[in-house]
Amino acid sequence: MGKGARKKGPKKDRKPKVRDVFVARPFEGLAAEPELIALREFVPSATARLTLAGDAERKVTLGTVLPMAAAAFVRSDGEVFVGMQVQTRSSDISRDLGRALRWALDAKPGDVLSVPDTTSPPEEGERLQDLLVHDAELDVNLHEDFSWWLPEDTEASGDVAMSLERANAAIMPTERLSTGAYWVLAGEKAHLRWVWPAEENRLLQALARLSAAGELGLGDESRYAGSFRAHGLLVPVWDLDPEAHAREWAEPAKELGTRLRTALDSLDDEPLNAAERRSRDGLIGRQLTLR
C-alpha cells in the first residue's frame, strides 16, 4: 500500500474544528449597550446591578475591574461580582461575560474565576443577550476608589491589598453626564467621551451636519477631538477646559445631545449637502479603533 493510500480517512482522535467568528458588536440588542462599552473601555471604577432574565431574586453586580482583573468572584459576604475589564477575551465578549455570569451564579463565597472561558465551543443560552433583560438600563455608580471590592469594615491583605493599591493609583477623576457620556480628567487634559447607540455611518453624517453648521462643540473652551470605534459603536470625543468642573458641562452636553438627535432624525429626509460631505470626510480622518 502506498503512502497516499495509508493517509486517507479521518483520524479517530481528531476533534472537530470550531469556527470562531468575530462579533464586531457584541452588546447589540441590549438597552445597556452604551454603558457596557463605557464600563469595558474607559470608566475606571464603577458598579451596576444587572437585571437577570427570569430570575429577579438573584443579585449580581457588574464591576469595571475586579481584584487581580478577575472575570468574576463572590465576596465573603456572598455578593456576586462580574468584571468587565479582564486580561483575556475571545471573539465574542458577550459570550465571555455570559459564561462568567453563569459561573458566578453557582459559585460560593470566596470563589474566584481568574479568567473567562474563551476556549470552549459556543453553546446556546450563554451570551448576555440570553441572560439579561434586553430593555433594562444600567444604573451606574461611580466610585473614587476600589473599596467596593471588600465588605464593609474589612481590611485588604496579601495580593488583594497590592492589587487594590495599584488600581486606586490608576484611577482618573471621572463623572457621568448622561447615558454613555463621561467626563474624565486625564492628567492636564479633560475630555468628554460619549458612546452613541447609532449605526456608525449614520452617526458620522449627523456629526458632519453639526460640524458644517458650527454646532458640534459644547461652547467656549471645548473642541471636537475625533472619535474611536469600540465594540461596533462610534465614540465621539471632545476636549474640554480642564479648569472647569464636570458639572459645568452637564447642560452643554444635554443641549449637544438634543442637536445630535435632531441631526440624526433629519437624515431620513435630507441627505448631506456638499459642505456636510466635506465635513464628514474630515471626521473620518480622525478615527481610531479599540478592540
Side-chain angles (χ1 to χ4, degrees):
M1 183 182 295
K3 293 182 179 180
R6 290 199 299 268
K7 289 182 178 180
K8 291 182 180 181
K11 293 183 178 180
K12 294 182 179 180
D13 297 332
R14 178 178 293 173
K15 295 182 180 180
K17 290 185 178 180
V18 177
R19 186 182 179 190
D20 202 11
V21 180
F22 176 71
V23 179
R25 191 174 172 181
F27 307 124
E28 186 175 10
L30 296 174
E33 182 180 22
E35 295 293 358
L36 290 170
I37 292 175
L39 297 181
R40 172 79 180 194
E41 292 301 331
F42 55 80
V43 176
S45 179
T47 56
R49 183 62 52 83
L50 292 176
T51 305
L52 304 185
D55 193 352
E57 298 300 319
R58 297 304 303 268
K59 295 182 179 179
V60 179
T61 299
L62 189 70
T64 48
V65 183
L66 302 185
M68 279 80 75
F73 83 113
V74 183
R75 251 179 10 193
S76 60
D77 60 357
E79 185 161 357
V80 178
F81 289 86
V82 173
M84 286 295 292
Q85 300 175 26
V86 295
Q87 298 177 4
T88 60
R89 57 164 292 173
S90 73
S91 62
D92 184 359
I93 296 174
S94 179
R95 188 174 67 223
D96 299 345
L97 289 165
R99 286 175 172 174
L101 173 57
R102 294 204 305 181
W103 174 92
L105 291 174
D106 294 327
K108 300 177 181 179
D111 288 349
V112 178
L113 179 65
S114 298
V115 296
D117 179 3
T118 60
T119 59
S120 297
E123 297 180 1
E124 293 291 331
E126 60 181 2
R127 305 183 76 241
L128 286 185
Q129 287 84 344
D130 303 314
L131 303 171
L132 303 182
V133 174
H134 285 201
D135 59 357
E137 302 280 356
L138 283 185
D139 183 11
V140 177
N141 295 306
L142 293 174
H143 305 277
E144 294 182 352
D145 56 28
F146 287 93
S147 58
W148 52 268
W149 285 356
L150 307 170
E152 292 185 10
D153 303 321
T154 303
E155 293 289 334
S157 60
D159 291 339
V160 173
M162 294 178 59
S163 183
L164 184 63
E165 182 179 357
R166 288 195 299 267
N168 286 341
I171 288 179
M172 293 185 293
T174 303
E175 297 287 344
R176 183 176 182 269
L177 301 186
S178 64
T179 301
Y182 288 84
W183 170 92
V184 58
L185 183 62
E188 298 180 352
K189 296 183 178 181
H191 309 287
L192 169 63
R193 299 167 180 170
W194 202 336
V195 187
W196 272 80
E199 190 274 325
E200 179 180 336
N201 184 57
R202 190 174 177 85
L203 180 57
L204 271 173
Q205 292 183 62
L207 291 168
R209 176 151 289 170
L210 293 186
S211 178
E215 298 179 345
L216 190 52
L218 286 87
D220 295 338
E221 304 301 325
S222 75
R223 74 176 186 88
Y224 180 75
S227 62
F228 62 87
R229 299 185 188 93
H231 311 299
L233 293 185
L234 199 63
V235 186
V237 179
W238 286 263
D239 290 336
L240 307 175
D241 179 6
E243 299 298 323
H245 192 275
R247 61 176 173 266
E248 297 181 49
W249 299 107
E251 187 60 30
K254 181 179 179 180
E255 295 171 355
L256 173 60
T258 299
R259 294 197 302 272
L260 192 48
R261 281 187 288 272
T262 300
L264 281 165
D265 292 340
S266 71
L267 296 172
D268 292 330
D269 302 318
E270 185 182 351
L272 297 186
N273 59 37
E276 291 168 343
R277 289 196 296 273
R278 288 194 295 272
S279 293
R280 180 195 57 191
D281 293 342
L283 297 180
I284 290 175
R286 298 157 73 178
Q287 290 181 322
L288 58 90
T289 299
L290 293 185
R291 287 189 179 177

mmCIF file of all heavy atoms in Angstrom, residues 89 118 140 167 211:
data_model
loop_
_atom_site.group_PDB
_atom_site.id
_atom_site.type_symbol
_atom_site.label_atom_id
_atom_site.label_comp_id
_atom_site.label_asym_id
_atom_site.label_seq_id
_atom_site.Cartn_x
_atom_site.Cartn_y
_atom_site.Cartn_z
ATOM 1 N N ARG A 89 -9.726 37.617 26.164
ATOM 2 C CA ARG A 89 -11.024 37.704 25.520
ATOM 3 C C ARG A 89 -11.059 36.744 24.339
ATOM 4 O O ARG A 89 -10.022 36.348 23.810
ATOM 5 C CB ARG A 89 -11.303 39.128 25.030
ATOM 6 C CG ARG A 89 -10.243 39.673 24.077
ATOM 7 C CD ARG A 89 -10.745 40.885 23.326
ATOM 8 N NE ARG A 89 -11.814 40.540 22.387
ATOM 9 C CZ ARG A 89 -12.507 41.439 21.701
ATOM 10 N NH1 ARG A 89 -12.256 42.715 21.843
ATOM 11 N NH2 ARG A 89 -13.449 41.051 20.856
ATOM 12 N N THR A 118 -12.682 31.293 27.351
ATOM 13 C CA THR A 118 -12.623 31.795 25.973
ATOM 14 C C THR A 118 -12.339 30.696 24.960
ATOM 15 O O THR A 118 -12.154 30.976 23.777
ATOM 16 C CB THR A 118 -11.532 32.865 25.844
ATOM 17 O OG1 THR A 118 -10.260 32.293 26.187
ATOM 18 C CG2 THR A 118 -11.804 34.048 26.772
ATOM 19 N N VAL A 140 -25.561 53.128 36.793
ATOM 20 C CA VAL A 140 -24.125 53.088 37.065
ATOM 21 C C VAL A 140 -23.783 53.929 38.291
ATOM 22 O O VAL A 140 -24.209 55.081 38.416
ATOM 23 C CB VAL A 140 -23.329 53.593 35.849
ATOM 24 C CG1 VAL A 140 -21.834 53.621 36.159
ATOM 25 C CG2 VAL A 140 -23.602 52.707 34.640
ATOM 26 N N ALA A 167 -4.677 49.563 41.668
ATOM 27 C CA ALA A 167 -5.893 50.011 40.990
ATOM 28 C C ALA A 167 -6.279 51.418 41.419
ATOM 29 O O ALA A 167 -6.643 52.261 40.586
ATOM 30 C CB ALA A 167 -7.028 49.033 41.273
ATOM 31 N N SER A 211 -21.154 69.763 12.435
ATOM 32 C CA SER A 211 -19.862 70.402 12.212
ATOM 33 C C SER A 211 -19.956 71.482 11.142
ATOM 34 O O SER A 211 -19.429 72.599 11.307
ATOM 35 C CB SER A 211 -18.820 69.352 11.811
ATOM 36 O OG SER A 211 -17.563 69.939 11.546
#
